[in-house]
Amino acid sequence: MVFNSLTFLVFFVVLLVLHHLPFLSWRAKKVNLLIASYVFYAAWNPPFILLLWASTIVDWFIARGIYGARDKSRAVRRSWLVISVAVNIGFIGFFKYGEFLLQNWQALMSTFGIVYVPPEWNIVLPVGISFYTFVTMSYTLDVYLGRARPIPSFLNYALFVTFFPHLVAGPIVRPTQLVPQFDEPKQANRSQLLWGLGLMILGLFEKVVIADGGLSSAADSVFAAEKPVGFWDAWLGTLAFSGQIFCDFAGYSTIAVGAALCLGFGLPDNFRMPYAAIGFSDFWRRWHISLSTWLRDYLYIPLGGNRGTEVRTYVNLMLTMLLGGLWHGARWTFVVWGGLHGLYLAVERWIRDRTGIAGDPVHWFNRLTLVLVTYLLVNITWVFFRAHSFEGAARMLSGMVGLAPDAEPLLPTIYMIKVAVLVTAIVATHWWMRDRELERVVSRTPWWVTGLAAAAMLFAVIVTQGSGTAFIYFQF
Amino acid sequence: MGNSGHWTEEVTVREIPRARLVAMSWLVLALVVVGVAAWEWKMRTVGLVVGDLDDSKAQWAVERRKIAAGHFDDVVLVGSSRILFDTNLDVFEEVSGRRPIQLALAGTNPRPILTAFANDPGFRSLVIVDVTPDIYFGDWLGIPEFSGVVDYWKVQSPSERFGNEVGIFLSRQLAFLDSDYTLPKLIDQLDVPNRGDIVRPYLSVWKVWETNDDRQTYLWSGIERNERLRQHARTVWGPFDGAPMDPKAIDRAIQESVEAVRKIRAHGGEVVFIRPPSAGLYYEHEQRAAPRGKTWDRLLRETGAFGIHFEDYPEMRALDVPEWSHLSRDSAKAFTRAYAQVLMKEVPRLHEPPRRKS
């Protein structure tokens, strides 16, 4: 189920009541949470819960196998790890990349003059498979790398994998962040509950009002165009998507954090005002933090990170970002998106290494200029992320550099106004909040001002109504 | 390490603002209650009513499942908005003793649904098919909101089904829950100057219908009462340029219909076509774009099916069509009574026991 649905509203109220019943044991409450998480997942497509169970059980046994072989040769432990990676990547490979692989195989064969017609592919992508697979893999990898022992309790382990707030779209939690929280009874106190609800309102506002209600129509109109796109339409469509993808995904993460907090649990931040990033290493410390740190810890560093030669470091960086791009979806445009980010990171690293510049500029104007340049370059990457083909991306980029002066106008004025107002507000908010924490800002703001803002957001969510549109990252 | 076997220094602990959260929450609650009450009042003044359930794929799926379960009276309506708005299910039931399943969809070509029934060997009921010429004889399949509707009832998730039930419950209490009166739609309805020949959101379809239980749908009373809304709807249905429809598209539509009727009859079902009334410039446009001889008459001749054209029945011609495409609520009752009586005379199976699969 999706957070922005009436079904979730009912589900969450029932779960909150169950979790706060005074007479239930901690074990019974954890069982409740586990069952509720399975219900949360199965409410979308019940059969796919089998995949979730399979992924959970495989890594449970493999982690124990790896730990049991700790005194044996590295080859034995590595064999266990290979099984885990093969099973997990196998699931993703089949469900997410199967059709993509067949299509590319067909294209490859045709270059050799061999006619190969792939079978019709009617496999539905299980929602959230990329997220929960990374969660289970992080557990096995942590045990393999000696960062953790296997979790003694299967209940705690299964709940860690399945805990509904993070299950289908992150944050991609690590065992170290969440599992210890299941050791002792957890129940939100009044402040946690109220602040959790506040975060849920904020997340719903971002998703329902800004992403779906405010920006999606402009982005959809422009990216769906099959004719040349003019300068203003191309830029406004791309800016609209930049706001939409942020508010959609950050909205989800904020609701997830809020929902977990209402139950007494802490989930990590997944976004920290990314459109105020100065440079791309800063951007990736602020955008989808749980994925970027996962890729850093389980891919970039094992590849050698920056410990080898300079060339090797750039290769590692690029490989990590290309795979990060492919993680998002089975399309070459996602790979190019990742590759562009890899290129940006490499160039930034090269400049910093050559000039010795470290840290951010002191003067606010220089900082703001770099923020806007970074945001501009990020928008170029969003074209590849959102376009479904290279033709579509080329059409957009041509428009953005003014190569389609005779293109017919696409966006109605009302959409242009909405994009201009909302995207300016998003970037300005990121700039103002760049070095601030939301909790600290709320602490310093008069309570009635925050109350007015929260009421306005909740009212806007209610009158926008929303149609229960799925979150964009569900498809990844 | 903690009991869990993991290091605990990375455990996520969320900071809570040191603020008057309780007072803040009471303020939020009070303001939202007042705001929603005011919004509800405002929406009722524009004509929204409680119990208007908002049509959707989910509502359609509820009706479609009645057929799959065999819980229906052997009569199914498919079509676009005309048969949807212009049929009163109670009146039809009163005349024929059978309550039809309403599967027509606004802004949607009914042919894919007709074809789906044709391809279901278990389907052996009477299908009444609405022929709105510029939709039925064209290649356009319909508005995006209803895309994929034919199979949606089979793939709808449990979450969506439950959510629909909660939505229905809330719609019976609150009038403002209407997908045509959401904040983004109201903003898009601002009429501001545009560049070039852009299709303005202002000229998108605004609220024109009201849906109750069993997808009983009426032309929204606001259209009947409010001249501005009525004029807006007429403008949106245009342009009424009378440009002839593509003859090849007409051929495809008729060929598809012939095949569907043949298959449905082979299973033991029957098909009847119906052409509901239109008026004003819309009617004149249809006369030129899709002349009866090249479309309707040919459809009946080639399919061998029975059809009811409103022009052929005096009692169906003198009805009120406020925005030129759909009947007023009272006229919909009169039209239903008239066409149901014709069907009782002309379709013998309506006097026989239902043939649906049990």
Side-chain angles (χ1 to χ4, degrees):
Chain A
M1 68 184 77
V2 291
F3 286 155
N4 55 326
S5 67
L6 292 170
T7 306
F8 178 74
L9 186 68
V10 174
F11 165 90
F12 192 60
V13 169
V14 171
L15 187 61
L16 267 185
V17 171
L18 283 175
H19 193 69
H20 288 84
L21 289 177
F23 51 81
L24 285 183
S25 68
W26 177 231
R27 183 178 170 75
K29 287 182 178 179
K30 285 194 290 188
V31 170
N32 272 346
L33 285 177
L34 184 63
I35 293 170
S37 298
Y38 287 133
V39 169
F40 179 87
Y41 192 76
W44 162 70
N45 193 335
F48 280 123
I49 202 158
L50 296 174
L51 269 183
L52 178 59
W53 285 342
S55 183
T56 306
I57 289 167
V58 163
D59 281 282
W60 164 258
F61 283 110
I62 285 178
R64 298 177 89 79
I66 290 171
Y67 191 71
R70 64 189 180 282
D71 298 327
K72 296 181 182 160
S73 71
R74 195 176 171 191
V76 176
R77 290 167 55 238
R78 184 168 281 186
S79 307
W80 280 110
L81 183 67
V82 167
I83 296 171
S84 165
V85 172
V87 170
N88 283 300
I89 299 298
F91 281 158
I92 296 190
F94 178 76
F95 285 98
K96 188 166 176 176
Y97 301 104
E99 187 176 22
F100 177 69
L101 291 171
L102 282 176
Q103 286 169 347
N104 282 280
W105 180 251
Q106 182 187 23
L108 183 67
M109 289 296 99
S110 70
T111 59
F112 296 111
I114 300 170
V115 177
Y116 166 70
V117 180
E120 196 173 334
W121 195 264
N122 287 321
I123 304 296
V124 177
L125 177 66
V127 71
I129 188 169
S130 305
F131 287 92
Y132 67 70
T133 302
F134 268 34
V135 167
T136 55
M137 283 176 71
S138 71
Y139 168 65
T140 309
L141 285 162
D142 272 3
V143 173
Y144 175 80
L145 295 169
R147 294 176 186 162
R149 289 199 303 264
I151 301 167
S153 155
F154 181 76
L155 177 58
N156 284 6
Y157 164 74
L159 190 52
F160 151 69
V161 174
T162 316
F163 190 45
F164 76 89
H166 74 72
L167 178 60
V168 290
I172 303 168
V173 287
R174 308 290 185 83
T176 47
Q177 292 169 323
L178 187 58
V179 174
Q181 299 189 52
F182 299 136
D183 286 341
E184 305 294 334
K186 282 275 187 304
Q187 189 166 302
N189 59 34
R190 191 168 61 183
S191 296
Q192 285 174 317
L193 180 67
L194 294 175
W195 181 238
L197 291 173
L199 289 175
M200 292 177 81
I201 291 172
L202 175 61
L204 281 169
F205 177 76
E206 288 179 279
K207 163 65 179 170
V208 175
V209 180
I210 301 182
D212 289 352
L215 296 171
S216 66
S217 45
D220 292 348
S221 305
V222 173
F223 279 94
E226 293 181 346
K227 53 187 180 181
V229 181
F231 179 82
W232 290 109
D233 293 308
W235 269 108
L236 286 169
T238 305
L239 290 169
F241 182 68
S242 76
Q244 183 195 5
I245 186 82
F246 169 76
C247 288
D248 190 282
F249 194 17
Y252 187 94
S253 298
T254 307
I255 299 169
V257 169
L261 193 58
C262 287
L263 296 163
F265 301 97
L267 289 184
D269 285 330
N270 216 11
F271 292 86
R272 287 196 196 105
M273 311 297 155
Y275 291 152
I278 295 177
F280 293 91
S281 44
D282 190 26
F283 179 80
W284 282 103
R285 283 192 293 269
R286 296 167 178 276
W287 179 276
H288 204 173
I289 299 164
S290 62
L291 175 68
S292 56
T293 50
W294 199 101
L295 291 172
R296 180 196 66 198
D297 293 348
Y298 300 115
L299 189 59
Y300 178 69
I301 291 175
L303 281 171
N306 56 3
R307 296 191 302 277
T309 63
E310 194 176 6
V311 172
R312 181 65 204 220
T313 300
Y314 286 125
V315 169
N316 292 340
L317 199 56
M318 191 55 89
L319 267 178
T320 304
M321 295 313 292
L322 287 171
L323 285 170
L326 194 59
W327 176 88
H328 284 83
R331 278 205 318 258
W332 286 110
T333 48
F334 283 121
V335 179
V336 171
W337 173 80
L340 266 179
H341 272 284
L343 182 69
Y344 289 163
L345 285 165
V347 170
E348 180 180 311
R349 186 181 186 88
W350 187 85
I351 292 172
R352 284 191 188 273
D353 286 350
R354 295 296 176 282
T355 60
I357 294 172
D360 299 334
V362 176
H363 196 279
W364 70 268
F365 182 79
N366 294 338
R367 283 203 306 276
L368 180 59
T369 304
L370 286 177
V371 162
L372 293 177
V373 169
T374 306
Y375 178 58
L376 181 102
L377 291 170
V378 165
N379 271 280
I380 305 293
T381 70
W382 285 137
V383 171
F384 290 95
F385 194 94
R386 176 62 177 79
H388 288 288
S389 65
F390 286 113
E391 291 78 16
R395 202 161 35 235
M396 290 294 291
L397 291 172
S398 298
M400 290 165 85
V401 294
L403 292 180
D406 300 325
E408 290 173 27
L410 272 173
L411 287 175
T413 307
I414 195 73
Y415 288 7
M416 298 171 80
I417 294 170
K418 283 200 288 190
V419 174
V421 169
L422 292 174
V423 172
T424 304
I426 290 168
V427 176
T429 305
H430 283 211
W431 168 252
W432 188 71
M433 290 286 293
R434 186 174 188 277
D435 300 314
R436 295 177 167 93
E437 298 284 338
L438 180 64
E439 288 78 4
R440 306 278 165 84
V441 171
V442 170
S443 297
R444 290 196 202 106
T445 306
W447 67 271
W448 57 270
V449 173
T450 312
L452 275 174
M457 285 193 282
L458 181 56
F459 177 74
V461 168
I462 292 170
V463 299
T464 299
Q465 297 177 38
S467 53
T469 318
F471 289 80
I472 294 173
Y473 263 70
F474 277 23
Q475 64 192 287
F476 301 149
Chain B
M1 285 193 185
N3 298 334
S4 58
H6 275 72
W7 285 300
T8 53
E9 62 264 32
E10 289 182 25
V11 173
T12 306
V13 178
R14 303 286 320 179
E15 183 183 343
I16 306 298
R18 277 175 289 180
R20 295 178 61 188
L21 293 175
V22 174
M24 204 183 290
S25 302
W26 282 115
L27 179 65
V28 170
L29 188 65
L31 289 175
V32 168
V33 167
V34 170
V36 169
W39 190 260
E40 172 75 2
W41 172 79
K42 175 63 185 169
M43 291 299 110
R44 290 188 186 208
T45 63
V46 301
L48 302 190
V49 293
V50 293
D52 182 353
L53 304 182
D54 236 4
D55 200 21
S56 63
K57 286 203 290 191
Q59 299 286 59
W60 192 91
V62 171
E63 298 305 304
R64 179 62 184 82
R65 284 195 200 97
K66 291 179 184 172
I67 297 174
H71 297 149
F72 73 119
D73 290 337
D74 214 21
V75 180
V76 179
L77 295 162
V78 303
S80 312
S81 55
R82 287 188 184 164
I83 199 73
L84 179 67
F85 298 7
D86 297 354
T87 294
N88 185 294
L89 300 177
D90 292 337
V91 171
F92 193 103
E93 187 175 10
E94 182 191 320
V95 174
S96 69
R98 294 163 190 251
R99 190 169 185 83
I101 295 291
Q102 181 55 275
L103 290 185
L105 279 165
T108 302
N109 195 318
R111 282 178 8 233
I113 297 171
L114 185 65
T115 302
F117 283 129
N119 291 331
D120 176 3
F123 183 80
R124 57 194 67 156
S125 300
L126 171 65
V127 195
I128 300 170
V129 185
D130 160 27
V131 178
T132 299
D134 50 0
I135 294 180
Y136 192 86
F137 294 108
D139 285 334
W140 184 66
L141 293 181
I143 55 177
E145 285 87 337
F146 296 130
S147 68
V149 71
V150 173
D151 293 319
Y152 180 70
W153 65 281
K154 289 184 260 186
V155 299
Q156 187 185 22
S157 72
S159 173
E160 288 167 329
R161 287 180 72 165
F162 182 78
N164 187 50
E165 293 301 318
V166 179
I168 288 171
F169 170 78
L170 291 175
S171 292
R172 293 191 201 284
Q173 330 298 323
L174 297 163
F176 82 85
L177 293 174
D178 189 308
S179 61
D180 285 311
Y181 273 85
T182 64
L183 185 62
K185 285 205 174 175
L186 292 174
I187 291 171
D188 287 350
Q189 287 173 8
L190 297 172
D191 192 17
V192 291
N194 280 281
R195 303 168 298 158
D197 298 324
I198 287 172
V199 179
R200 298 175 286 166
Y202 177 80
L203 289 181
S204 60
V205 179
W206 295 359
K207 184 174 178 63
V208 282
W209 72 78
E210 182 187 326
T211 304
N212 302 142
D213 290 320
D214 299 337
R215 293 188 72 240
Q216 169 61 64
T217 306
Y218 306 103
L219 183 68
W220 182 42
S221 57
I223 301 287
E224 291 189 44
R225 283 199 319 265
N226 187 312
E227 176 62 21
R228 175 176 168 263
L229 295 177
R230 194 159 53 244
Q231 284 299 342
H232 179 269
R234 287 174 178 174
T235 308
V236 169
W237 302 148
F240 305 119
D241 54 11
M245 294 187 71
D246 178 8
K248 288 181 182 166
I250 295 172
D251 290 345
R252 281 191 289 273
I254 291 178
Q255 188 51 46
E256 211 174 287
S257 307
V258 167
E259 186 67 7
V261 171
R262 184 187 66 74
K263 284 184 176 176
I264 288 173
R265 283 180 172 163
H267 304 152
E270 184 54 278
V271 178
V272 168
F273 293 98
I274 185 163
R275 163 63 160 97
S278 51
L281 293 179
Y282 203 160
Y283 175 66
E284 290 171 21
H285 162 78
E286 288 169 335
Q287 297 291 87
R288 284 177 284 144
R292 177 173 171 164
K294 292 181 180 174
T295 53
W296 173 261
D297 293 345
R298 207 182 132 201
L299 175 71
L300 297 194
R301 192 170 58 247
E302 294 191 22
T303 58
F306 177 67
I308 299 172
H309 196 300
F310 80 97
E311 289 173 343
D312 300 337
Y313 300 89
E315 66 272 31
M316 297 183 199
R317 291 165 66 172
L319 296 170
D320 180 23
V321 194
E323 34 68 284
W324 298 340
S325 187
H326 307 98
L327 297 169
S328 66
R329 194 172 295 212
D330 288 341
S331 285
K333 288 180 184 171
F335 176 66
T336 307
R337 186 173 301 281
Y339 88 72
Q341 285 169 345
V342 174
L343 288 175
M344 291 303 288
K345 278 187 206 156
E346 303 290 343
V347 183
R349 61 178 288 147
L350 285 173
H351 300 278
E352 299 167 5
R355 299 181 196 177
R356 65 174 183 269
K357 64 183 176 186
S358 59

Coordinates of all heavy atoms in Angstrom, one line a residue, chain B residues 232-241 282 285:
Chain B
H232 N -19.6 26.5 -20.6 CA -18.2 26.0 -20.6 C -18.2 24.5 -21.2 O -17.4 24.2 -22.0 CB -17.6 26.0 -19.2 CG -16.2 25.4 -19.1 ND1 -16.0 24.0 -18.9 CD2 -15.0 25.9 -19.3 CE1 -14.7 23.8 -18.9 NE2 -14.1 24.9 -19.1
A233 N -19.2 23.7 -20.7 CA -19.2 22.3 -21.2 C -19.5 22.3 -22.7 O -18.8 21.5 -23.4 CB -20.4 21.6 -20.5
R234 N -20.3 23.2 -23.2 CA -20.6 23.2 -24.6 C -19.3 23.5 -25.4 O -19.0 22.9 -26.4 CB -21.7 24.2 -25.0 CG -23.1 23.8 -24.5 CD -24.0 24.9 -24.8 NE -25.4 24.6 -24.4 CZ -26.4 25.4 -24.4 NH1 -26.2 26.7 -24.7 NH2 -27.6 25.0 -24.1
T235 N -18.6 24.5 -24.9 CA -17.3 24.9 -25.5 C -16.3 23.7 -25.5 O -15.6 23.4 -26.5 CB -16.7 26.1 -24.8 OG1 -17.6 27.1 -24.6 CG2 -15.5 26.6 -25.5
V236 N -16.3 23.0 -24.4 CA -15.3 21.9 -24.3 C -15.6 20.8 -25.2 O -14.7 20.1 -25.8 CB -15.3 21.4 -22.8 CG1 -14.5 20.1 -22.7 CG2 -14.7 22.4 -21.9
W237 N -16.9 20.5 -25.5 CA -17.3 19.4 -26.4 C -16.9 19.7 -27.8 O -16.8 18.8 -28.6 CB -18.8 19.1 -26.4 CG -19.4 18.7 -25.0 CD1 -20.6 19.0 -24.6 CD2 -18.8 18.0 -24.0 NE1 -20.9 18.5 -23.3 CE2 -19.7 17.9 -22.9 CE3 -17.5 17.4 -23.7 CZ2 -19.5 17.2 -21.7 CZ3 -17.2 16.8 -22.5 CH2 -18.2 16.7 -21.5
G238 N -16.7 21.0 -28.1 CA -16.3 21.4 -29.5 C -14.9 21.0 -29.8 O -14.2 20.3 -29.0
P239 N -14.3 21.4 -30.9 CA -15.0 22.3 -31.9 C -16.0 21.6 -32.8 O -15.8 20.4 -33.1 CB -13.8 22.8 -32.8 CG -12.8 21.6 -32.7 CD -12.9 21.0 -31.4
F240 N -17.0 22.3 -33.1 CA -18.1 21.7 -33.9 C -17.9 22.0 -35.4 O -18.7 22.8 -36.0 CB -19.5 22.1 -33.4 CG -19.6 21.8 -31.9 CD1 -19.9 22.8 -31.0 CD2 -19.6 20.5 -31.5 CE1 -20.0 22.6 -29.7 CE2 -19.8 20.2 -30.1 CZ -20.0 21.2 -29.2
D241 N -16.8 21.6 -35.9 CA -16.4 22.0 -37.3 C -17.0 21.1 -38.4 O -16.9 21.4 -39.6 CB -14.9 22.1 -37.5 CG -14.2 20.8 -37.1 OD1 -14.9 19.8 -36.9 OD2 -13.0 20.8 -36.9
Y282 N -23.7 20.6 -31.5 CA -23.1 19.2 -31.4 C -23.8 18.3 -32.3 O -23.2 17.5 -33.1 CB -23.1 18.7 -29.9 CG -22.1 17.6 -29.6 CD1 -21.8 17.4 -28.3 CD2 -21.5 16.9 -30.6 CE1 -20.8 16.4 -28.0 CE2 -20.5 15.9 -30.3 CZ -20.2 15.7 -29.0 OH -19.3 14.7 -28.7
H285 N -23.0 19.1 -35.9 CA -21.6 18.6 -36.1 C -21.6 17.1 -36.4 O -21.0 16.6 -37.4 CB -20.7 18.9 -34.9 CG -19.4 18.1 -34.9 ND1 -18.3 18.4 -35.6 CD2 -19.1 17.0 -34.1 CE1 -17.4 17.5 -35.4 NE2 -17.8 16.6 -34.5

